[in-house]
Amino acid sequence: MAANLLAPNGLSFSRFRLGAAGNYQESQFQILKATTTAIGMGDVVQTGTGGSAGYVILAADGATSLLGVFAGILPYYDTTAQQTMHGINGAWPTGGIATPGTYINCLVISDPFATFIAQVNGGTYDPSWRGKNIGFTAGTNGVPNSAGRSTLSLDFASLNTTNTLPFRILGSAGVTGGPQDPANTNPWIEVRLNTAEELAATGI
């Protein structure tokens, strides 16, 4: 059977596990304006430490505690462009942002029971995947495309029961016989945060 084209676009909101009304549950957080690492819509983020303590930063490869999925930048006044902006199509730009303030407000889907759809970089979906954990592919988080969308994929090689892997697999997101058939390689699956910081007993 033909392979699904590997064309990941990060984590796309799907639904709520608890059956609540779909209001997306985007919560407001802050990013330091001097943050130089790009963050795309659909990338995973964590809470910073040290000089970035309390602020949103891009989740590092192998991160074991996630704040959630980046959902965009709220309007701010850019002193270089001399106008109100919201990043690059909602994404945080490489090199930071010029504003009078210290930080920029942003939105993150941090609800630990929100679910997301993402593409796996290999393998073919098998029902035995459900209930296992999976990580994201190194080097794909924080590399948004020109539209500001994440290019993050999930790492097939990391599929395991390891409790520190960031995502729990809930099932297939493809339809048999369709363009995202789970029997094809590079399947699309549904996941939720497995290492959500809001559920961790230890503080950051």
Side-chain angles (χ1 to χ4, degrees), residues 70-126:
F70 192 74
I73 301 172
L74 292 172
Y76 62 91
Y77 187 78
D78 189 300
T79 55
T80 298
Q82 291 291 297
Q83 62 181 332
T84 300
M85 298 182 70
H86 61 281
I88 300 175
N89 297 318
W92 185 265
T94 301
I97 286 173
T99 77
T102 302
Y103 62 82
I104 307 293
N105 292 315
C106 66
L107 297 173
V108 176
I109 302 174
S110 59
D111 189 322
F113 296 104
T115 74
F116 304 90
I117 292 173
Q119 190 174 24
V120 182
N121 70 344
T124 56
Y125 180 78
D126 186 273

Side-chain angles (χ1 to χ4, degrees), residues 169-190:
I169 299 174
L170 303 177
S172 170
V175 177
T176 302
Q180 295 179 355
D181 193 319
N184 296 344
T185 55
N186 303 316
W188 294 79
I189 62 174
E190 186 179 32

Side-chain angles (χ1 to χ4, degrees), residues 35-193:
T35 298
T36 58
T37 306
I39 306 175
M41 303 272 286
D43 277 337
V44 286
V45 293
Q46 62 185 107
T47 299
T49 57
S52 297
Y55 292 98
V56 171
I57 62 171
L58 184 74
D61 291 346
T64 57
S65 178
L66 299 181
L67 173 61
V69 175
F70 192 74
I73 301 172
L74 292 172
Y76 62 91
Y77 187 78
D78 189 300
T79 55
T80 298
Q82 291 291 297
Q83 62 181 332
T84 300
M85 298 182 70
H86 61 281
I88 300 175
N89 297 318
W92 185 265
T94 301
I97 286 173
T99 77
T102 302
Y103 62 82
I104 307 293
N105 292 315
C106 66
L107 297 173
V108 176
I109 302 174
S110 59
D111 189 322
F113 296 104
T115 74
F116 304 90
I117 292 173
Q119 190 174 24
V120 182
N121 70 344
T124 56
Y125 180 78
D126 186 273
S128 64
W129 288 20
R130 190 184 66 78
K132 287 189 170 64
N133 299 328
I134 193 168
F136 55 89
T137 310
T140 63
N141 197 39
V143 192
N145 59 26
S146 59
R149 185 69 203 178
S150 170
T151 57
L152 175 147
S153 64
L154 301 179
D155 184 13
F156 172 67
S158 71
L159 182 67
N160 211 310
T161 57
T162 308
N163 64 357
T164 54
L165 287 168
F167 302 107
R168 171 65 53 85
I169 299 174
L170 303 177
S172 170
V175 177
T176 302
Q180 295 179 355
D181 193 319
N184 296 344
T185 55
N186 303 316
W188 294 79
I189 62 174
E190 186 179 32
V191 299
R192 73 165 181 82
L193 297 177

Side-chain angles (χ1 to χ4, degrees), residues 5-30:
L5 175 67
L6 182 59
N9 57 9
L11 293 133
S12 300
F13 174 81
S14 177
R15 61 194 175 98
F16 288 106
R17 291 286 284 171
L18 299 183
N23 61 4
Y24 291 84
Q25 294 292 310
E26 295 173 348
S27 299
Q28 182 172 307
F29 296 91
Q30 289 78 40

